[in-house]
Each structure stands twice: as C-alpha cells, then as structure tokens.
Amino acid sequence: MTTDASSSPLNVEIGALTGGSADLAQYAGKAVLIVNVASKCGLTPQYAGLEKLQERYAAQGFTVLGVPCNQFMGQEPGSSEEIAEFCSATYGVTFPMTEKVEVNGDARHTLYDRLVGFADGEGHTGDIRWNFEKFLVGRDGQVVARFSPQTEPETAELVGALEKALG
C-alpha cells in the first residue's frame, strides 16, 4: 500500500451519524480504531469494551470511530436517531459515529475501499467478514493493524497495537 496522505482512510468524506460531516481530518495525528458496528448482533456487547478504550486512551490522542452498517443479516436496521439512542442509553457510548454505510460490494464506501486491502494477523484481506471488524489507523493516517470481528476490544493483542500506535 502507498503511504501518501491521499491514500489515508482519514482523507475521505463521510457523514456523521447526527448529520453533517464526520470531518475525519480532525483525527490527523491521532490513532483511530475504525469499527463497523451494529446494534442487534451477537458481538454488540463489544460496544462496552470500545467505550472503555475510548475513556482510557482519549487523552493520549486516540478515538474509536463507529461506522454503522446493515449489511450483515440486517443487524443495524435503525435510523440514525435510533442508533444514537441505543448506543448512548445501552452502552454509554461517547466516541464519534458516522452515518450508516455499506462496507462491502459495489456500493462500498470509500472509507472501506481504503481499509480492506490491509491484512489482519491471519493474513485476511478483502471484504469485511462481519460486524465489529476493526482497523487501527496510526498517527500518520495509515492502517497499522486489522482485527477480526471476534477480537474483543480489550485483548492484549489489540491494546498492545494501540499503545504502540500511540507511541
């Protein structure tokens, strides 16, 4: 993969969950964990671990970025308002969320075009496999790690990569 700024996943336009632009450029110089999320998935409890990472590392220049997606068995059917309410009320989510997008297929959002070429620890590249697949973007705006949907946010593997990215 190229490492120029134009290839950065943070150099794309995407809407915020609550309207307007998510303005990913504001995260330049920070580490960002981009996660495709869903409210009605067996992995939905990962929101709790994601929020713990947000709380623990935000002051060091880190944010989680939730990206709602309804492509996996319709597990994110809600409106933007319903998604925001669910995340806040159920898991106390404070990290930013984007508009609902497609992460696979012909309508895949440009953000995911820039993510899916990066391999995870098992060598998987390409299409997102399920809700809660995670991509860690380093302070330089480039993907530094990819984690399977089943990787819990607070695992040693993910936290270690995050702490390394924060330097």
Side-chain angles (χ1 to χ4, degrees):
M1 290 185 71
T2 59
T3 57
D4 63 73
S6 66
S7 68
S8 171
L10 302 180
N11 190 23
V12 300
E13 294 290 322
I14 190 168
L17 184 63
T18 55
S21 172
D23 187 23
L24 301 186
Q26 70 181 306
Y27 306 119
K30 294 185 176 188
V32 182
L33 187 66
I34 301 172
V35 186
N36 62 301
V37 295
S39 301
K40 300 185 182 308
C41 175
L43 300 177
T44 299
Q46 287 189 23
Y47 268 123
L50 293 170
E51 181 59 25
K52 286 180 184 174
L53 290 179
Q54 179 73 21
E55 292 169 3
R56 182 174 174 191
Y57 294 102
Q60 297 175 48
F62 168 74
T63 192
V64 172
L65 180 66
V67 183
C69 176
N70 194 39
Q71 283 189 283
F72 302 98
M73 294 183 64
Q75 295 183 344
E76 188 59 278
S79 67
S80 294
E81 296 78 17
E82 290 168 334
I83 294 167
E85 173 61 24
F86 171 82
C87 291
S88 175
T90 310
Y91 292 101
V93 167
T94 62
F95 54 80
M97 303 270 285
T98 71
E99 65 185 325
K100 193 184 325 185
V101 301
E102 293 197 7
V103 298
N104 289 333
D106 292 341
R108 180 189 342 249
H109 193 279
T110 305
L111 174 63
Y112 277 84
D113 281 339
R114 297 196 181 176
L115 295 172
V116 298
F118 196 88
D120 67 14
E122 289 79 47
H124 174 81
T125 61
D127 281 353
I128 301 302
R129 293 165 284 190
W130 198 251
N131 302 307
F132 292 89
E133 192 143 346
K134 300 156 197 73
F135 293 87
L136 181 60
V137 177
R139 290 186 188 271
D140 66 354
Q142 299 302 313
V143 180
V144 296
R146 180 176 184 170
F147 301 94
S148 79
Q150 293 77 20
T151 301
E152 292 287 336
E154 296 179 281
T155 62
E157 175 190 16
L158 196 153
V159 170
L162 171 56
E163 289 180 349
K164 182 178 178 185
L166 289 170

